[in-house]
Amino acid sequence: MKSGKPSRTVFVCQGCGYNAPKWMGKCPECGEWDSLVEERQSPTLLPGGATPAKQSRPVPIHTVEMDQQRRIKSGMQEFDRVLGGGLVPGSLILVGGDPGIGKSTLMLQILHRLADSKHQVLYISGEESLEQIKLRSDRLGVSSEDLWVVSEVDLESIRAVANEMVPNAMVVDSIQTVFTRELASAPGSVSQVREATLHLMHLAKQTGIPIFLVGHVTKDGAIAGPRLLEHMVDTVLYFEGEQNNIFRILRAVKNRFGSTNEIGVFEMRDSGLCEVANPSAIFLSKRPSLVPGSVVTASIEGSRPILLELQALVARAGFGTPRRTVLGVDYNRVSLLVAVMEKKLGLQLMNQDIFVNVTGGVKVDEPAVDLGIVSAIASSFFDKPVKGATVVLGEIGLTGEIRSIGQADPRVHEARKMGFTRCLLPQDNLKGLKGPVDIEAVGVQTISELADLLF
Ligand code: TYD
Ligand code: MG
């Protein structure tokens, strides 16, 4: 392949980086199907061209000046905290979430807050007309003359508008609608989204404008295909929640300017999003407390710990083979755990129907939830609730031993953050826990100790 023609595009495998001049259904290098995506061959189209406009020079690290004070605060505390104490000038922040979860609402509210404190802000929408944005603003009961809006999807126009106005902050809603005419592929395709993000990153760094990119999450939880945007931007925030639930969680998955342990909790009301000061109480209130068969565990989803409620129902079977119905966890895993419970705890489960469910329609496939499943089944079998605000973690081996799990720290911290006061976890993980842990961590070695600790 000859290089040098800036308009040339190649098809690059998103799995292994193999490139081909034509699209192929299967990557000949790594064998991945449907992984080839059209991309620009050379990054020479970045403003400034291939040669840097100004030569960067190394400097001794102690001479580098910090300007922490320059963080811009939105005044919405839950939001500022997730960002690590406010907006850093020149940062590129990706706000991801399911469609309809409230990303546009959140962004508009944040911009209004900024505009209220005399910051010039710009909202660029590729999804809604100006009238729709105005309608939403009216609904939120906010209006400010320092908030500027434009309906635009063309990357070049967006850059021109931003360069002309140089706002104190700006939002591009959403990155999937932005397109550049340099590429033939449709808006929302991997190459378009990547190209647009690259240019907006450049814009943010060059002008010092903090830029929010709103990104829709695809079904498998990734933002616009492979997690390609996550490593390009400075900060990745996920806005999560269920459509039929009023609570929303804003979570930093990556943050170059702060910790990723913070979450912000909001409530979606008729008049927009309100901050929730005490999230743990809410999480607990959603769950039936002190009910037999309900256990909370923590699973790592991607890079994030998520607390899940496991429910089990054990009921006397009628005639024939007892039923085993399992939703959200592996059927074979549950069969194996039931066998271990029969053998090691001496429970008579062969004449019982067993149903196991992960609430909220979540699927977990990691062994760290084993102990949670066993606890839920035992709790329902004995008809005894698990005491206190307890989170249960651990993998179970065939001899009934509790095996250590990976990433115990983030799980325990998530539990603490969500208001749990006690955590059962493998003995081996106990010594590895990093402080400060203001949660009672109880080590478990074998499944036979479980009953005493749970009830
Ligand atoms: P929206 O911000 O448009 O979602 P996204 O940008 O993530 O796709 O939010 C849409 C939902 O929020 C919609 O179902 C209505 C609801 N909503 C409220 O409940 N109250 C409000 O004040 C607003 C503006 C929206
Ligand atoms: Mg929207």
Side-chain angles (χ1 to χ4, degrees):
M1 252 175 291
K2 284 198 190 103
S3 58
K5 285 186 191 169
S7 60
R8 274 281 290 270
T9 59
V10 285
F11 291 83
V12 180
C13 172
Q14 303 295 297
C16 67
Y18 175 87
N19 48 21
K22 276 193 187 155
W23 187 82
M24 280 183 278
K26 185 182 180 183
C27 172
E29 188 82 12
C30 66
E32 188 76 26
W33 284 95
D34 199 18
S35 64
L36 266 68
V37 167
E38 189 184 18
E39 284 183 10
R40 204 195 304 280
Q41 193 174 9
S42 61
T44 48
L45 280 160
L46 264 182
T51 44
K54 195 176 73 182
Q55 178 84 46
S56 309
R57 296 206 177 279
V59 292
I61 190 160
H62 70 271
T63 62
V64 178
E65 279 175 27
M66 303 275 287
D67 45 5
Q68 275 291 336
Q69 295 76 10
R70 281 184 59 212
R71 280 188 189 251
I72 307 166
K73 295 230 194 298
S74 72
M76 206 180 240
Q77 276 178 12
E78 290 289 304
F79 188 80
D80 289 343
R81 194 152 44 84
V82 174
L83 282 180
L87 263 175
V88 176
S91 58
L92 188 65
I93 301 150
L94 179 65
V95 181
D98 292 331
I101 208 72
K103 300 180 296 298
S104 306
T105 308
L106 178 70
M107 287 294 103
L108 208 56
Q109 282 184 265
I110 297 296
L111 287 189
H112 269 297
R113 290 284 190 108
L114 288 169
D116 280 344
S117 46
K118 290 290 159 220
H119 289 102
Q120 293 271 319
V121 290
L122 176 63
Y123 182 82
I124 300 170
S125 180
E127 303 200 326
E128 288 160 334
S129 65
L130 296 182
E131 290 79 16
Q132 282 173 301
I133 303 170
K134 175 79 174 96
L135 265 175
R136 192 197 295 267
S137 277
D138 289 347
R139 189 170 168 191
L140 297 171
V142 285
S143 175
S144 170
E145 53 195 44
D146 288 321
L147 172 66
W148 296 70
V149 287
V150 57
S151 188
E152 185 58 76
V153 291
D154 190 313
L155 180 64
E156 279 69 38
S157 312
I158 291 175
R159 278 171 46 198
V161 169
N163 274 318
E164 194 189 308
M165 180 179 164
V166 194
N168 295 116
M170 93 185 210
V171 170
V172 177
D173 188 0
S174 66
I175 187 67
Q176 274 103 346
T177 58
V178 178
F179 81 99
T180 169
R181 267 168 280 177
E182 309 278 354
L183 288 177
S185 48
S189 66
V190 174
S191 44
Q192 284 282 7
V193 168
R194 161 134 74 189
E195 197 68 19
T197 309
L198 210 67
H199 280 275
L200 290 169
M201 181 65 153
H202 201 86
L203 180 72
K205 299 296 168 225
Q206 223 175 23
T207 57
I209 308 171
I211 303 179
F212 289 98
L213 303 179
V214 172
H216 295 297
V217 170
T218 56
K219 279 193 206 78
D220 54 3
I223 294 181
R227 301 186 160 268
L228 84 162
L229 292 189
E230 294 197 350
H231 66 263
M232 293 170 71
V233 300
D234 295 312
T235 301
V236 180
L237 308 179
Y238 271 102
F239 204 39
E240 302 169 348
E242 283 167 43
Q243 293 277 3
N244 48 9
N245 193 310
I246 55 168
F247 295 107
R248 304 280 184 270
I249 293 180
L250 186 71
R251 198 186 286 270
V253 180
K254 163 181 174 179
N255 194 352
R256 285 189 182 144
F257 311 110
S259 146
T260 51
N261 286 326
E262 293 294 351
I263 57 170
V265 182
F266 298 88
E267 192 183 331
M268 178 65 96
R269 299 227 185 109
D270 284 347
S271 55
L273 292 156
C274 300
E275 300 175 66
V276 171
N278 186 1
S280 13
I282 282 142
F283 184 75
L284 290 173
S285 73
K286 275 202 303 185
R287 188 174 67 95
S289 61
L290 302 180
V291 175
S294 161
V295 166
V296 176
T297 186
S299 165
I300 301 283
E301 301 284 322
S303 60
R304 293 168 288 168
I306 292 185
L307 292 192
L308 300 167
E309 184 191 350
L310 293 167
Q311 292 187 336
L313 181 69
V314 181
R316 224 188 138 69
F319 296 106
T321 324
R323 293 178 62 177
R324 302 277 186 262
T325 303
V326 172
L327 291 173
V329 280
D330 184 38
Y331 179 87
N332 291 325
R333 194 84 204 165
V334 173
S335 305
L336 184 150
L337 294 172
V338 168
V340 174
M341 288 175 83
E342 290 196 325
K343 182 85 177 170
K344 298 292 166 191
L345 300 178
L347 301 186
Q348 295 279 317
L349 292 169
M350 68 275 272
N351 58 353
Q352 303 282 336
D353 285 337
I354 298 178
F355 306 91
V356 176
N357 180 33
V358 185
T359 60
V362 186
K363 288 194 171 52
V364 233
D365 59 355
E366 58 163 354
V369 301
D370 285 357
L371 201 60
I373 297 172
V374 165
S375 304
I377 294 175
S379 166
S380 177
F381 181 77
F382 292 119
D383 208 19
K384 285 184 189 163
V386 173
K387 70 179 174 196
T390 303
V391 168
V392 183
L393 305 169
E395 178 180 345
I396 296 179
L398 286 183
T399 66
E401 84 276 19
I402 313 295
R403 308 173 66 93
S404 64
I405 55 170
Q407 308 196 47
D409 263 313
R411 297 180 214 248
V412 173
H413 279 100
E414 184 76 0
R416 178 186 58 84
K417 219 157 47 188
M418 286 305 213
F420 287 85
T421 53
R422 196 159 159 266
C423 179
L424 301 190
L425 78 169
Q427 183 76 37
D428 291 346
N429 281 115
L430 204 55
K431 41 186 179 294
L433 277 191
K434 291 190 200 89
V437 187
D438 42 1
I439 183 168
E440 185 194 349
V442 184
V444 193
Q445 270 171 316
T446 71
I447 188 172
S448 49
E449 298 163 23
L450 203 56
D452 291 338
L453 297 170
L454 281 178
F455 313 118

